[in-house]
Amino acid sequence: MGDIKDKTVAIIDNLIFFFFIALSLFLPISNAVIESSFGVIISLSILIFFIKHISLSKIKTFFSYKINLYLLLFFLAIGLSIFNSGVLWRKSLGAWLFKWGEGILLFYFIQIFLSKNNIRVFVRVLVLSTLVVSINGIYQYIHGYGFIRHFTLMPARNLIAIRSTFPHYNNFGGFLSSIFFIVAFIELNKNKVNYFLTLKILFLLLIISNLFLTYSRGA
């Protein structure tokens, strides 16, 4: 019975990892894949909680780390904006629960279910996806449309902005401004210089070029 339980848990762990990889790969490309992957991860996580009988004390250890506590405080703080949303309070509440809330849960599940090696794979796939959508952004700027999803350029005040695979240039700019620091840390935080340093710097310059071409004020 114990062997069956262990095998079941191992299969579920592998499935969770697979859908985390799918989520990281399609994060800047497809909302449908993101939401589907998130739904599967949530369902499998609930299932594995019941199988492994994870105690409440183990769940509470999540908040024993300062970074997790600060993240929770940040989540609660931005929730205060709901009270100043006026007639749009329903929309603000939905964004707070189902946008930021999803992010908090994913951050939690990554720490619970993914090993350090799996997290490295997850982030590497995200970096690869960023490279692809950045190349797509430059292609879109040159040809007027992207080779992924075939989105066209978008008017931005008196300019024409790129948006790559995103519905709006602000979304693309926001993604790039966040991912830039992750990529910079991963690619440049090395103890010694290697032969790929030039390519890594060019990759960062590619992200910066895309960022400027979004003409996004917020980004």
Side-chain angles (χ1 to χ4, degrees):
M1 190 67 180
D3 291 339
I4 296 176
K5 181 179 177 181
D6 292 339
K7 289 180 180 179
T8 302
V9 170
I11 292 172
I12 295 175
D13 282 338
N14 289 330
L15 285 172
I16 289 175
F17 177 58
F18 171 80
F19 282 100
F20 263 118
I21 294 302
L23 189 149
S24 64
L25 181 62
F26 288 93
L27 184 63
I29 300 173
S30 173
N31 284 333
V33 175
I34 294 172
E35 294 301 326
S36 299
S37 298
F38 178 77
V40 174
I41 291 171
I42 289 290
S43 302
L44 293 175
S45 300
I46 294 173
L47 179 60
I48 207 169
F49 274 136
F50 280 108
I51 294 175
K52 295 178 72 173
H53 301 292
I54 297 176
S55 64
L56 185 62
S57 60
K58 288 185 178 181
I59 297 175
K60 288 181 178 178
T61 57
F62 175 78
F63 301 107
S64 63
Y65 298 100
K66 286 185 178 181
I67 187 172
N68 297 332
L69 180 59
Y70 294 152
L71 183 63
L72 178 62
L73 291 174
F74 172 76
F75 177 65
L76 294 176
I78 62 175
L80 296 175
S81 64
I82 298 171
F83 297 101
N84 195 39
S85 299
V87 295
L88 298 176
W89 69 269
R90 289 186 181 87
K91 186 176 182 179
S92 296
L93 179 62
W96 184 63
L97 291 175
F98 299 107
K99 179 182 177 182
W100 290 100
E102 283 183 9
I104 300 295
L105 284 175
L106 283 174
F107 191 75
Y108 173 68
F109 289 142
I110 283 174
Q111 293 184 54
I112 295 296
F113 295 112
L114 298 187
S115 64
K116 287 185 177 181
N117 288 333
N118 286 345
I119 291 175
R120 289 190 184 98
V121 174
F122 174 85
V123 176
R124 286 291 181 184
V125 171
L126 180 59
V127 170
L128 175 62
S129 184
T130 302
L131 174 61
V132 173
V133 297
S134 296
I135 294 173
N136 183 71
I138 298 299
Y139 184 93
Q140 186 181 71
Y141 179 73
I142 296 172
H143 296 280
Y145 62 91
F147 60 83
I148 304 175
R149 303 191 70 181
H150 303 292
F151 282 0
T152 58
L153 295 168
M154 193 173 187
R157 297 172 296 280
N158 296 323
L159 301 167
I160 300 296
I162 65 171
R163 52 177 173 156
S164 191
T165 55
F166 289 79
H168 197 277
Y169 55 83
N170 279 329
N171 300 116
F172 186 36
F175 170 78
L176 290 175
S177 61
S178 302
I179 203 70
F180 171 81
F181 296 100
I182 298 175
V183 174
F185 177 80
I186 293 171
E187 302 300 342
L188 300 181
N189 186 31
K190 306 293 183 181
N191 293 327
K192 57 182 180 180
V193 176
N194 56 49
Y195 295 108
F196 295 102
L197 179 62
T198 302
L199 291 176
K200 293 173 180 179
I201 293 174
L202 288 175
F203 181 22
L204 293 174
L205 291 175
L206 176 64
I207 295 177
I208 293 172
S209 299
N210 273 264
L211 183 60
F212 277 104
L213 290 174
T214 63
Y215 301 118
S216 171
R217 295 176 182 175

